[in-house]
Amino acid sequence: MTLITSMIRRPLDPGYEEAARRRRTAGLPQATTTRTVIVVVMALLIGFMFAVGAKALRPKPTAATQARAELIQRIETLQAHAAGSEAQIQNLTKQVRGYEETALAQAGAPDLTARIKDYGVAAGAVPLTGPGLTLTLDDAASNGTDVQTGDRPSSGFNSGRVASADLQIIVNGLWGAGAEAISINGHRLTSTAAIRFAGQAIIVDFRPLSRPYVVTALGDPDQMQRVFGPSFAGIYLDQLTKQFGIRAAFAGSKSLTVPGDSALHLEFAERAGSDVPSGGPTGSRP
């Protein structure tokens, strides 16, 4: 309490108070508000100079930067338009299939309806559901560049990133393990789909993917895991996780769904003449 009382009664430090008393005794001028105003003005001036310097040192947007921003905006707009068009195609395709089934049923040709469904399943044009596995792949947490890639086909980017070649090897391993249908991030893999690398992006059937990469495979989950583990693809995946830090997680399920490929079409292949229904054109496409 004595200290608090002293601070209240004598807020000025004794040393400062003694210096002020000596200045009064010597007849020296006392500190005025003019000095305070000068200090404030100098502080504002220095702050203004720092602000001007920071603005001058900030890199100015160049023509290349503006072009890049416009290109990114254009790509995002086109991607949104493509996604909307794809959804519309799927709805129209579903309606067309309904009209075809109705027409065939009215024409008294139920066997053709069953054959069309079988062709759609084999070609990957219709969605499928059933038990299976999901494999979630993601880049390494650190995504460092100090790891030697060795023989891994991943040159041109950090070793901790998932590459298109990684997905190709893993998907082929799942096919070999007994998978009956596979999709990556909702994109169905068919005989005409391909996993490629474009710049820094992985694309499936010309559609860009974003991490994490979720591979959905329909089939017997126990058998696929048992066969996939000791295979080349399983050993390769184990190397990715241990040597490069790429994250991978398997999960089995009794009910999974892979979508149909709405963009499925053939340019050169045609049905063999013996498989064409009577009255159907030889060059008809699914």
Side-chain angles (χ1 to χ4, degrees), residues 1 44 80 208:
M1 291 299 296
L44 293 176

Side-chain angles (χ1 to χ4, degrees), residues 231-244:
S231 67
F232 169 77
I235 297 173
Y236 183 85
L237 178 60
D238 186 64
Q239 180 188 15
L240 292 181
T241 57
K242 292 182 179 179
Q243 183 174 352
F244 304 107

Side-chain angles (χ1 to χ4, degrees), residues 37-121:
V37 172
I38 294 176
V39 172
V40 172
V41 171
M42 291 298 296
L44 293 176
L45 182 60
I46 293 173
F48 176 76
M49 293 176 62
F50 274 113
V52 172
K55 185 176 181 180
L57 293 175
R58 180 180 301 173
K60 298 180 180 179
T62 61
T65 305
Q66 295 178 354
R68 182 175 181 274
E70 293 177 359
L71 182 60
I72 292 175
Q73 183 178 3
R74 185 177 179 184
I75 291 174
E76 292 176 350
T77 302
L78 291 176
Q79 287 179 347
H81 178 72
S85 299
E86 183 177 351
Q88 186 178 7
I89 290 173
Q90 291 178 354
N91 293 331
L92 293 176
T93 302
K94 187 181 298 184
Q95 294 180 13
V96 169
R97 290 199 186 104
Y99 294 148
E100 289 177 348
E101 293 178 0
T102 302
L104 291 174
Q106 292 177 352
D111 56 331
L112 293 182
T113 302
R115 293 183 66 180
I116 290 175
K117 290 182 178 180
D118 292 340
Y119 288 146
V121 171

